[in-house]
Amino acid sequence: MTVRILAAGAALAALAGAATAEELHIYNWTDYTAPELIEKFEAETGIDVIVDTYDTNETLLAKLKSGATGYDIVVPSQHFVKIMIQEGLLQKIDIKSMPNYANVDPRWKNPPWDPNQEYSVPWQWGSASFSYRADLYSGKGESLKEFFEPSEEVSGRLQVFASPDEVYNMANLYLGLPFCSEDPEDAKKVLALFQAQKPHVLTYSSEGMNDRLATGEVIMATHWNGYSLVGRREANPNIIYAYPKEGIVGWFDSLVVPVGASNVEAARKFMNFVMDPENIALQSNFAAYSNGIMGSEKYMDEALRTAPELNPPADVPVKFGEACSAEAQKLIERVWTQLLQ
Amino acid sequence: MSEVAVIDARRRWLALAPAYLVIGVFMVIPLMIMVAISFMEQNVYGGVFRVFSTDAYTQFLFQRDFDGNLVFNPAYLVILGRSVALAAAATAICVAVGFSVAWFIVRQPPRRRNLLVFLITIPFWTNLLVRAYAWVIILGRGGVIDSPFRALGLLGPDGTLGLLYTNTAILIGLTYTYLPLMVLPIYASLEKLDFRLVEAASDLYADKWWTMRQVVLPLAAPGVIAGAILVFVPALGDFISPNLLGGAKRLTLGSLVQFQFATARNWPFGAAVAVILLVFVMASLALYVRLTRKAGKAGQP
Amino acid sequence: MSARTRRRAETQAETHSGAGRIAHFGWLGPLALAFYAFLYSPIVVLIAYSFNDSRFAMIWQGFSLKWYATVLENGDIQTAALNSLVVATAATAISVSIATVAALALARGGAFRGKTLSMGLIALPIVVPEIVTAVATLMFFSAIGLSLGLGNLIIAHTVFCIPFAFMPIRARLQGMDETLEQAAADLYASRWEAFRLVTLPLLAPGIFAGAVLAFVISLDDFIISLMISDAGTTTLPVYIFSMIRRGVTPEVNAVSTILFSVSLVLVSIYWLASRPKKDEA
């Protein structure tokens, strides 16, 4: 069924594409595409860029899975890139032949989620950990113990992400368990850890971290590194992003082209465009996240280049979330549902 | 019955045709897709496998524990109960407040009535999320409500009444979101009240409570029932209030379905919960139709 | 306090039919006042925070107009707001028309087989959780290859607006005095004239309430719009909810305040325009 839907959609999108002028439809989070970058691209190529927005990777997957079409570029995180490739939702793009491909940092070439770099171009990357108010909290954010087994100070003033995606892996890091374990015993341990933490949690929410940290409503919260940086610089200088010794959970967003894209050529141009260090620096300066392009540092704001949030200490491991097997994914879902039931 | 009162069958179906067509095509067909999905197998990467399965329904009452045994699991029934209780409480508050306000508005001169009705709806031009955030600011630690208590020294400088992230906060959110859906239908049915009749009645029987019970309430009944449906049903499926104001610490039916589709990627189970909710509400609605029939008969002179 | 007393005095002076005296409860006025205060308190807060210098929705850092400047420069948010208004207006017009004739048919159709079923069918869109409708409708639209841009959104919104428009209209119709219409039918030759000149004005408050509800519900919808929207048709709620990656900014408060002001201006115009006609009547 899916195949037929996709085929129908693709045919229709092709028709729509032929009828309109040169347009590039990007589907991304709100405020996550630098306006300066878009303007420069439009000026250089004459292509009209239209940005639509979604709220989560899951929404993006659900939409593509249900047959939504017309988007030329979407921006999933690493594990979703892998899932989308598996599910046949993405087009192969000859990325290695693009002139700017040489600029990609070797560290991010042929990543595990796209081993031959056939589908994805690096966009932004960062990490998830927890942040705390240094003036209201006596700890140093050195261990995930401070987050999962909070002290009296933090109790009742702790915010945890509303979705298990990163938090589950933080628990795995703390307990020394592998990511995507299929062993029910491991799931039991994670559930017990979450359940012990729950009485101390004020709210499960994936937004408003800086607001709540700055007002003191919470004094510790799961956080994204770049967003925590924005909070420290613009909301309260005491918002500190923790680097616990057990490690932090990495994420890596890439540009990919879904099946059913109406203007693949424009998408290719845009992909090549963002692999230019000066261009991608515009994006990093805007969103306050790192990119995977060599030489972009010299175009980046001084404050970003040296920010502790964007430069993890060498001794703290950064472990990227993976696309789990069906068995492992079901365990994660069960643990989270039981936690909140 | 006269010619106007009863439309002949052909015209009746003609008048109903657009509603049937739109809802039939764009609601019933998608719903049938959903019912079909609830009987399929979950694809953890989104979507379903086209294999018949009743797992989703079994999951609502039973659960395989981590060791693989099937045991009775009341958790989802508890979630159902919690959602019904919250929605019922919000509906009750809305009926009480909504009826009083509608009665207040109806007693104003006509021109002011329209203004007052408009004023109810204007706040809802602003986005739900933004309004919810405003409530977070009002109810939160050191917020609009805490501040005067702190100023009076009733709370410490860092103290809070702790209103946010409680069931009270969820109820405030639900009431706030759905009150207009109660006031407007009640107002619409009260507005046709012939005040000369009421005046005559109250001249005869001086007691204003008698007037309320015998004249106003029967007239308002269809509006109250319509409002109760418009409040109760969406409140049952609401997830913004439980998540933003309640702190998302306990699932409600709305957040459960949302979670299954948007996070857990268990479409069959999400669809099954929706089907169960649908059956539950449709049963209540059948009750409503019987009630209105009675009310309709009682309301006729 | 004095303002309230004055208002009540005015009320009584203006009320010619004597409605002010009937079943009058002293606490009604204060309760109504509290009710409107409850409705507007979050609005006051969000307007205040639209002038916030901080980029965070909940932290006050001083007065600034910068978010209004941002809105004026930001084509995306303007397009999103415009999309929302277009969809809400179209969906309201269509759903109210459909709901009005359906409500009339059900109220005036006598007792017939399938009446209960019809009621259930019309209520269906509010019974099914939004996310379910959203995913299922998207699958259905894809399957039949429906890709009309904003048209897709208008269709989906019309569907869930119908019950919200229908309920107040039906409540209004129930027990409505039919003698007037019967008299009208005797006076006017055509049914249509009887309908237009008598039934419709009688029904107006119900239609008005239904239209207002439908409009507001459509304007606020997020989940269905998020799923159904084609490329290039992001609505304002979708735009706002998708700010999660970098946080919701007071830009949203600013655009909300602008919308709020527009609606306030429209209502004022309506109120002033309706003055002479109503006073004569």
Side-chain angles (χ1 to χ4, degrees), chain A residues 125-134 140-142 144 161 166 170 209-210 213 219-233 236-244 247-251 289 307-313 316-318:
Chain A
W125 72 276
S127 62
S129 175
F130 64 92
S131 296
Y132 57 94
R133 274 283 293 270
K140 292 269 169 285
E142 287 163 339
L144 281 169
F161 283 154
E166 289 84 10
M170 285 166 73
M209 285 79 84
N210 287 330
L213 282 168
I219 59 181
M220 188 181 283
T222 36
H223 220 321
W224 316 104
N225 62 336
Y227 193 29
S228 186
L229 161 64
V230 173
R232 175 172 63 79
R233 287 175 63 195
N236 190 312
N238 292 306
I239 297 175
I240 301 301
Y241 186 72
Y243 283 110
I248 55 176
V249 179
W251 54 264
Y289 285 110
E309 287 88 350
L310 301 193
N311 297 288
V316 172
V318 184

Side-chain angles (χ1 to χ4, degrees), chain B residues 5-30:
Chain B
V6 179
I7 306 168
D8 62 76
R10 208 170 48 94
R11 280 166 194 275
R12 178 211 303 147
W13 291 115
L14 205 65
L16 280 173
Y20 271 47
L21 194 74
V22 171
I23 296 181
V25 173
F26 295 108
M27 191 68 219
V28 175
I29 295 180

Side-chain angles (χ1 to χ4, degrees), chain C residues 220-231:
Chain C
D220 242 359
D221 175 75
F222 155 64
I223 297 168
I224 291 180
S225 307
L226 177 70
M227 281 292 163
I228 305 295
S229 59
D230 263 355

